[in-house]
Amino acid sequence: MNFDKKSALSRSVKVQSATKSLVLIPIAVGINLIGGTLCSTLKLPLFLDMIGTIVIAVLSGPWVAALCGLLTNLFLALVANPVYLPYALVSVLCGLVTGYLIKAGLFRNKFGVVVTWLAVTLTNTVSASLITIFVYGGATGVNSTSLVTAALLATTKKIMFSVFSSSMVENLIDKAIVFVIAYLIIQRIPKKFLSQYSSSLGDDD
Amino acid sequence: MGSGEPVKSPIEKLNPLTKMLAIFCLGLATLIYPNSWLGLGIVIVLFGVAGMAHILKSFAKTIFGFGIPISLMLFFIQGLYSPKNKTIIADLGFAKLGEEGLLYAAKIVITLLVFLATFYIMNQTTYAGKMVAALTSSGINPQVGYLILASLNVVPQMHRRLDVIKEAQEARGVETTGGLWARLKAYIPLMGPVVMSSLTDAQERGMTLETRGFANTNVKRTSYIEVTTSKADTYLRAGLIIFLVAVIIISILMRW
Amino acid sequence: MQIDLQDLHFGYRPEHEILHGVDLTLAGTDPIAIIGQNGAGKTTLVKQFNGILTPTSGHVLIDGQDVTTQTTAKWSSKVGYVFQNPNDQLFLDSVRKEFEFGPKRIGMSSAEIKQRVDQVAELVELTDDLDTHPFDLDDTQKKFCTIGAIIMMNPDVVVFDEPTCGQDVHGDHLLNHIIQHLTAEGKLCVTISHDMKFVSQNFKRVIVMSQGAVQLDGTPEDVFSQTATLKTCFITPPPLTQLAQTVGFTATPFTTDAFVRAFEEERK
Amino acid sequence: MDDLAIEVKDLSFRYRQTTHAALSHVSFSVPKGSFFCIIGGNGVGKSTLCNTFVGLIPHYFLGKMDGDVLVNGQSIIDQSIADLSSQIGLVFQNPFNQLSYTASTVAEELAYGLGNRGVAREEMVTKVEAVAKLMRIDQVFDQNPLDLSGGQAQRVAFGSTFILEPKILVLDECTTQLDPMGADEIFAIVKRLNNEGITVIMVDHDMERVAEYADQVLVLADGSPVLQGAPAEVFGDPRLADFGVEPPDYAAVTQALAKRQLIQDKLGVTKDQAAALVKEGLNHAD
């Protein structure tokens, strides 16, 4: 009798935790988007739209982070501009890379954060450029990145290189700041909250 | 006017799944078809559809707002620098304008426009709740539906929260105007409370979902939003599929 | 320290005015309570005191200086504002850091900050929790952490937005103690509250807001004896006042002692 | 046994990674149809207890639970939270955390729990309209619940719980965000439901309100029950102050008057009781 109850209990705890993690996903999506909004509120020339993905990668792992990236772009496509939709792939890949590197323990010290930053910058640049080239033929319209691409193209005459380098510069700075901010925020997530989530963050009773 | 239900356009009344099918069929047909003319035709027809849906003005604004700059950029990039360029139309001095590149650019632009236009019409004429209700009744996991709707709903609320937090931190001496460095320094005091409080709120929101039976696994969910599949839906779906199949056959024949 | 509101009008949108011409002078050190139904405009009013919101017409003068002449962040050293929800203000990982944050922004010397941290922590009863994460505190303590963070900046006026919300007996007592302490230091405390018991026992001046205007302004005795006006403002007097009104006393008692005195008075 | 809505049996709970037990060895029972109030200072475990009634402990919050809670005679351990929701409903403090975030209108929000149960649409519409009328939110029926004021949103939260027709209602400081008038309106509805046979379990800091409505009061201190009884017994207990609770002003004043032999030596815990005693005392003096 007692034994039965115990096993039923441990089973249900596992099932219910799913909801607890699930509700974090829309909030992480919100954090991604609010991060971007805040940049325009403060008139900062940045995007900083990945904070939620990084936070949830720490809490729930790579695949949930990927899902969060996907939903962020889906939201942008529905509310702002459908042009963002193909770039969902970029967000998904960045979520996965961040998630797996964090899982490998790289977020525990500053050196690891730098490695994660460089890896994500590279993933973002390569995948975003490939989408810009193969989906949009090189540019998504007249914006600063497209103009840099055009200028580079006029001097170097190489499409691939031009798209890559214009995206790279922008990304390096933006992702550096995103990771610093996310790192600072994650350091400050309270224990009381964390204790209700994944066991990897603390020993079980 | 005034009393009763607002007049709904025929496009609005369609089942969201029909509209999703339209995005898929029309977009794919444009992509497969060897030249740009079919796509151009579809875009023109879609202007008519947008008119029927009473969204012509905003539709035109979106299409031209996206179409014109991207065309200029792509004609520049592909027309002048595409490695495919063999037939030279004009020599501008600093670069040569090639026909292949221009055609390629036109194809990309028109394909993107078809996707953009169909997506825009669906988005403007479909209530997100109805779309999710339609998807749920056709068998997708209710958790997926939750994620889509909750993401859409949580963001405006977080915006409002951010406004309050901005006031609250200004009252603690945080300057949100001034030099670049000062503004960058304000980022964490503003973002910190958003993240912390949202995360703690999430736990209570999960409680609410649980006590309202969200984790029920053995029941087929129902929705307050009525989703119907009318005759128009059935005919339109059949038409779209026949159209796609026809375009595939014609495209194969044309390339052959 | 004096805050003057002159014919203040305010609306988030021009066609929807929330405050319809408020004239008020807040001065001295006697603590002031602002009461009224939800949506009466209380929070909108107090947000004018440090320029979080600025009037659409009329003026707000802080010691004679127009509030619009500098930013809210600058005013924060003169007018402190404790928001209703502590989660809107707290973001650092220890109570101590929260306490130090505001003073650093306004350029307080580190020696003074250090000295004040201990004083304020004692005042808000968080001495043992200075190194605790604010989000690991319970809801009441979290509120006192926010209050402490604002008091740390040593403003002349402290505005509390519904500090009594969700407090237990001990919390109410502590709040009362903090207000008395600040008053003794020569500060002016302005408090929005729904707790009439708390208002009647701790404040010398009560301002009743309804529909974006000041309806009553006076001592608690004056205000809570105006039963007809209170009714139109959807305010119910504190319990003992209600009891006295039910049995037809002429006095307006708020405390047990006052009620007993009133009873003896009536019996004569 | 059949007449008990809730039976708490030697219940202890400690949240994961905390050293202090939130609840320790709690035992008591709530009779069906009663209006049961749980009072005590902040942080004594009142919310934890409420969360156990609806099964959030042990099924949602991680931690170590001992003992058992029976809802209508059945253990919460054997039932899922969703199963329990047809018997017991919880309303707590923050209204915006009690919305599903899946609804764009109040009507959809109210219907959400029914949808999760697979209730047919026609039945849903009837129930939604009835609940909206009961909670007086039918004027905001088509508005987005997230755009409502805190007071209205809390009514939606109430409605979303009532609509599942629980026989037991748990209210955890559910009117803290409302103004006094708004709270009174909510409690009038709650009292009506109680009169119709619904068991109400309420946590509140407003002792005048507790005295007004409760037929049983339980005082909790540091995770354990310390006093239990009818309001007149509990609020007359001299140890009350030690447990961080002050009796309602009416009780304090009638006690003080009785001590001076100005009124008869009885405790008036509600306004009506106190008024009767005071009036009688005044007449007696004439």
Side-chain angles (χ1 to χ4, degrees):
Chain A
M1 175 68 197
N2 211 357
F3 176 77
D4 278 353
K5 272 197 179 174
K6 275 235 164 103
S7 67
L9 192 61
S10 65
R11 202 168 48 236
S12 78
V13 164
K14 226 176 188 171
V15 172
Q16 308 295 350
S17 312
T19 306
K20 212 186 299 173
S21 305
L22 192 78
V23 288
L24 289 179
I25 300 172
I27 281 175
V29 172
I31 293 171
N32 278 347
L33 295 162
I34 293 292
T37 311
L38 188 52
C39 284
S40 53
T41 311
L42 293 174
K43 301 191 179 67
L44 298 172
L46 299 162
F47 300 108
L48 307 183
D49 53 1
M50 236 192 98
I51 300 173
T53 306
I54 303 172
V55 170
I56 205 157
V58 171
L59 294 171
S60 310
W63 287 99
V64 178
L67 185 59
C68 164
L70 176 73
L71 284 163
T72 306
N73 279 68
L74 188 66
F75 181 95
L76 285 172
L78 286 171
V79 175
N81 193 335
V83 172
Y84 290 109
L85 200 56
Y87 291 99
L89 183 69
V90 179
S91 304
V92 168
L93 288 175
C94 288
L96 286 176
V97 170
T98 315
Y100 275 110
L101 291 179
I102 288 172
K103 211 175 171 187
L106 281 175
F107 226 60
R108 294 211 189 100
N109 55 50
K110 286 176 181 120
F111 173 73
V113 176
V114 171
V115 173
T116 321
W117 159 50
L118 293 173
V120 169
T121 306
L122 196 67
T123 313
N124 192 311
T125 310
V126 173
S127 56
S129 302
L130 290 177
I131 286 172
T132 307
I133 292 167
F134 289 107
V135 179
Y136 294 102
T140 54
V142 179
N143 57 36
S144 56
T145 323
S146 299
L147 289 176
V148 173
T149 310
L152 280 171
L153 190 54
T155 45
T156 64
K157 311 202 187 306
K158 289 194 181 69
I159 293 183
M160 206 58 115
F161 171 80
S162 307
V163 174
F164 260 62
S165 19
S166 54
S167 165
M168 185 75 164
V169 177
E170 181 189 277
N171 247 304
L172 266 176
I173 302 167
D174 194 63
K175 295 292 171 284
I177 300 174
V178 154
F179 273 99
V180 169
I181 290 169
Y183 182 76
L184 289 174
I185 286 175
I186 288 162
Q187 297 297 308
R188 289 172 186 165
I189 295 179
K191 273 202 273 334
K192 192 158 127 189
F193 171 80
L194 287 179
S195 71
Q196 287 293 321
Y197 289 87
S198 88
S199 51
S200 67
L201 289 154
D203 38 329
D204 231 312
D205 291 87
Chain B
M1 294 303 250
S3 67
E5 287 265 298
V7 186
K8 280 187 179 167
S9 72
I11 309 298
E12 218 167 327
K13 279 190 219 150
L14 285 177
N15 187 312
L17 297 179
T18 311
K19 294 183 225 178
M20 289 171 94
L21 186 71
I23 299 180
F24 175 77
C25 290
L26 298 178
L28 202 61
T30 315
L31 193 66
I32 291 169
Y33 198 70
N35 62 44
S36 306
W37 298 112
L38 178 74
L40 193 62
I42 292 176
V43 172
I44 291 166
V45 171
L46 288 174
F47 269 91
V49 175
M52 272 166 76
H54 313 296
I55 52 164
L56 189 58
K57 216 171 152 190
S58 66
F59 177 79
K61 215 170 135 192
T62 310
I63 295 298
F64 291 121
F66 173 76
I68 294 171
I70 198 173
S71 304
L72 289 174
M73 284 304 296
L74 289 193
F75 286 137
F76 173 80
I77 295 174
Q78 298 292 342
L80 298 178
Y81 299 104
S82 173
K84 289 178 204 156
N85 280 339
K86 290 211 180 71
T87 328
I88 304 303
I89 306 173
D91 192 340
L92 303 180
F94 66 95
K96 293 184 180 68
L97 192 63
E99 192 187 328
E100 287 80 3
L102 282 180
L103 287 176
Y104 178 64
K107 185 73 207 295
I108 291 179
V109 169
I110 209 73
T111 312
L112 288 173
L113 282 180
V114 169
F115 274 111
L116 176 76
T118 43
F119 189 87
Y120 184 83
I121 292 173
M122 178 194 77
N123 194 16
Q124 293 297 308
T125 61
T126 311
Y127 171 44
K130 192 171 170 185
M131 174 145 71
V132 171
L135 287 170
T136 314
S137 66
S138 71
I140 68 152
N141 191 324
Q143 293 189 339
V144 176
Y146 168 78
L147 287 178
I148 296 172
L149 289 177
S151 301
L152 285 172
N153 280 317
V154 84
V155 176
Q157 219 234 347
M158 282 172 84
H159 270 267
R160 251 171 281 177
R161 192 70 189 264
L162 183 65
D163 292 339
V164 179
I165 290 169
K166 184 164 167 274
E167 293 175 351
Q169 299 300 39
E170 282 174 348
R172 286 178 80 182
V174 175
E175 291 281 6
T176 56
T177 50
L180 180 69
W181 180 237
R183 283 179 282 134
L184 191 61
K185 267 203 312 196
Y187 197 88
I188 291 214
L190 295 182
M191 202 61 194
V194 176
V195 178
M196 303 288 184
S197 57
S198 310
L199 289 180
T200 13
D201 282 352
Q203 236 161 49
E204 286 197 352
R205 291 186 192 158
M207 285 166 62
T208 304
L209 290 181
E210 288 286 349
T211 54
R212 295 220 244 148
F214 177 69
N216 248 344
T217 42
N218 40 9
V219 185
K220 185 163 168 30
R221 312 282 162 122
T222 49
S223 173
Y224 185 79
I225 304 164
E226 211 170 5
V227 185
T228 48
T229 310
S230 66
K231 273 213 175 98
D233 282 304
T234 321
Y235 293 143
L236 205 56
R237 285 178 196 180
L240 283 164
I241 291 167
I242 293 168
F243 175 75
L244 181 62
V245 173
V247 167
I248 292 171
I249 295 169
I250 294 169
S251 302
I252 293 170
L253 291 173
M254 279 171 79
R255 279 178 212 258
W256 206 24
Chain C
M1 186 72 194
Q2 181 165 335
I3 299 178
D4 289 292
L5 310 184
Q6 298 168 347
D7 191 30
L8 182 137
H9 290 259
F10 176 82
Y12 289 96
R13 284 167 289 140
E15 70 278 10
H16 183 68
E17 197 177 82
I18 295 172
L19 298 174
H20 313 287
V22 176
D23 284 286
L24 265 184
T25 296
L26 309 176
T29 58
D30 283 345
I32 301 170
I34 301 178
I35 61 174
Q37 203 190 9
N38 280 345
K42 305 182 297 290
T43 300
T44 313
L45 180 73
V46 297
K47 279 186 178 171
Q48 313 280 340
F49 296 172
N50 59 349
I52 291 177
L53 300 176
T54 50
T56 37
S57 77
H59 294 282
V60 177
L61 305 176
I62 299 177
D63 279 341
Q65 190 186 346
D66 198 288
V67 76
T68 52
T69 53
Q70 56 182 38
T71 60
T72 300
K74 289 262 161 37
W75 283 120
S76 66
S77 58
K78 279 200 154 182
V79 182
Y81 188 131
V82 182
F83 270 60
Q84 189 182 351
N85 186 347
N87 293 349
D88 292 335
Q89 275 178 314
L90 303 177
F91 70 101
L92 292 160
D93 60 2
S94 76
V95 173
R96 187 189 301 279
K97 286 183 190 163
E98 289 290 352
F99 279 14
E100 290 168 348
F101 180 81
K104 279 185 187 162
R105 296 278 99 52
I106 57 166
M108 195 183 280
S109 74
S110 52
E112 193 181 354
I113 295 178
K114 214 173 155 204
Q115 182 211 344
R116 286 190 68 82
V117 166
D118 294 329
Q119 285 174 0
V120 173
E122 201 185 319
L123 179 66
V124 298
E125 297 187 350
L126 286 173
T127 307
D128 297 334
D129 292 301
L130 274 173
D131 296 309
T132 309
H133 195 304
F135 279 75
D136 285 335
L137 299 172
D138 68 39
D139 286 347
T140 328
Q141 290 176 312
K142 224 196 256 179
K143 198 132 198 174
F144 284 110
C145 177
T146 327
I147 292 173
I150 297 298
I151 297 176
M152 274 299 297
M153 296 167 80
N154 203 13
D156 297 323
V157 179
V158 187
V159 180
F160 298 91
D161 196 345
E162 292 192 29
T164 48
C165 176
Q167 295 286 11
D168 58 1
V169 176
H170 178 72
D172 279 350
H173 287 322
L174 181 53
L175 214 49
N176 176 14
H177 172 69
I178 292 171
I179 291 173
Q180 279 179 0
H181 177 92
L182 293 172
T183 308
E185 275 189 345
K187 318 274 185 202
L188 172 62
C189 295
V190 181
T191 308
I192 293 178
S193 181
H194 281 315
D195 186 339
M196 295 306 136
K197 210 194 276 190
F198 181 77
V199 166
S200 62
Q201 291 176 9
N202 298 298
F203 295 86
K204 297 276 170 58
R205 180 176 169 195
V206 177
I207 295 170
V208 178
M209 296 271 306
S210 176
Q211 295 176 333
V214 173
Q215 307 293 345
L216 290 170
D217 182 353
T219 63
E221 285 79 8
D222 288 342
V223 166
F224 288 116
S225 57
Q226 315 261 351
T227 41
T229 318
L230 289 179
K231 214 165 208 165
T232 61
C233 302
F234 300 100
I235 288 173
T236 41
L240 290 184
T241 316
Q242 285 182 49
L243 180 62
Q245 285 162 359
T246 312
V247 296
F249 285 8
T250 42
T252 310
F254 302 126
T255 61
T256 305
D257 291 344
F259 192 93
V260 173
R261 273 198 305 278
F263 184 95
E264 282 168 335
E265 205 59 35
E266 292 289 329
R267 219 162 63 127
K268 277 174 192 164
Chain D
M1 288 295 273
D2 283 348
D3 51 348
L4 293 183
I6 287 189
E7 200 179 353
V8 182
K9 289 176 165 176
D10 196 30
L11 176 73
S12 298
F13 185 75
R14 184 164 59 82
Y15 286 98
R16 185 163 175 250
Q17 289 183 1
T18 56
T19 48
H20 193 79
L23 294 173
S24 65
H25 304 289
V26 179
S27 295
F28 66 93
S29 53
V30 180
K32 274 186 185 161
S34 62
F35 202 120
F36 193 94
C37 286
I38 303 170
I39 59 174
N42 276 323
V44 297
K46 301 188 297 291
S47 292
T48 306
L49 199 50
C50 289
N51 291 340
T52 344
F53 297 152
V54 295
L56 286 165
I57 291 171
H59 302 302
Y60 183 79
F61 287 103
L62 300 178
K64 190 173 178 299
M65 185 182 117
D66 287 307
D68 203 351
V69 176
L70 307 185
V71 173
N72 289 330
Q74 272 196 302
S75 167
I76 53 162
I77 298 172
D78 307 328
Q79 302 174 74
S80 73
I81 302 172
D83 292 340
L84 277 160
S85 70
S86 56
Q87 301 173 55
I88 186 162
L90 171 70
V91 184
F92 51 88
Q93 207 184 80
N94 185 342
F96 294 103
N97 283 345
Q98 295 177 76
L99 299 174
S100 68
Y101 283 75
T102 61
S104 305
T105 66
V106 167
E108 286 168 43
E109 182 66 42
L110 292 170
Y112 181 72
L114 298 175
N116 283 337
R117 279 196 194 161
V119 171
R121 189 171 177 276
E122 304 75 57
E123 195 184 334
M124 226 181 228
V125 173
T126 329
K127 284 188 175 171
V128 164
E129 276 165 10
V131 163
K133 205 160 270 169
L134 175 75
M135 295 312 301
R136 290 210 235 137
I137 39 178
D138 34 352
Q139 320 92 296
V140 293
F141 210 58
D142 293 320
Q143 277 185 38
N144 190 323
L146 292 162
D147 293 335
L148 299 177
S149 71
Q152 281 173 319
Q154 189 66 310
R155 282 160 184 268
V156 175
F158 262 94
S160 310
T161 307
F162 288 164
I163 206 166
L164 299 173
E165 296 169 345
K167 292 280 166 287
I168 311 168
L169 206 51
V170 184
L171 311 175
D172 185 5
E173 295 190 41
C174 63
T175 55
T176 313
Q177 311 262 330
L178 307 187
D179 55 24
M181 286 275 182
D184 287 347
E185 280 179 41
I186 293 275
F187 279 105
I189 298 169
V190 170
K191 185 65 203 164
R192 215 177 87 198
L193 291 167
N194 180 240
N195 289 340
E196 289 166 10
I198 305 271
T199 311
V200 179
I201 299 172
M202 171 172 104
V203 170
D204 208 291
H205 282 304
D206 186 336
M207 292 308 137
E208 282 78 22
R209 180 172 294 138
V210 169
E212 175 86 30
Y213 291 110
D215 40 45
Q216 278 280 303
V217 178
L218 176 81
V219 184
L220 217 56
D222 200 21
S224 305
V226 284
L227 276 178
Q228 190 182 351
E233 295 169 54
V234 169
F235 290 129
D237 199 296
R239 293 170 296 170
L240 204 56
D242 303 339
F243 305 132
V245 177
E246 263 176 9
D249 277 1
Y250 306 123
V253 93
T254 47
Q255 238 168 0
L257 289 170
K259 210 167 146 198
R260 294 172 192 224
Q261 294 172 339
L262 294 168
I263 60 169
Q264 84 170 276
D265 191 11
K266 253 174 82 181
L267 197 66
V269 292
T270 67
K271 190 170 90 180
D272 293 344
Q273 289 170 6
L277 287 167
V278 169
K279 271 184 190 155
E280 194 201 52
L282 283 174
N283 292 337
H284 193 70
D286 294 337

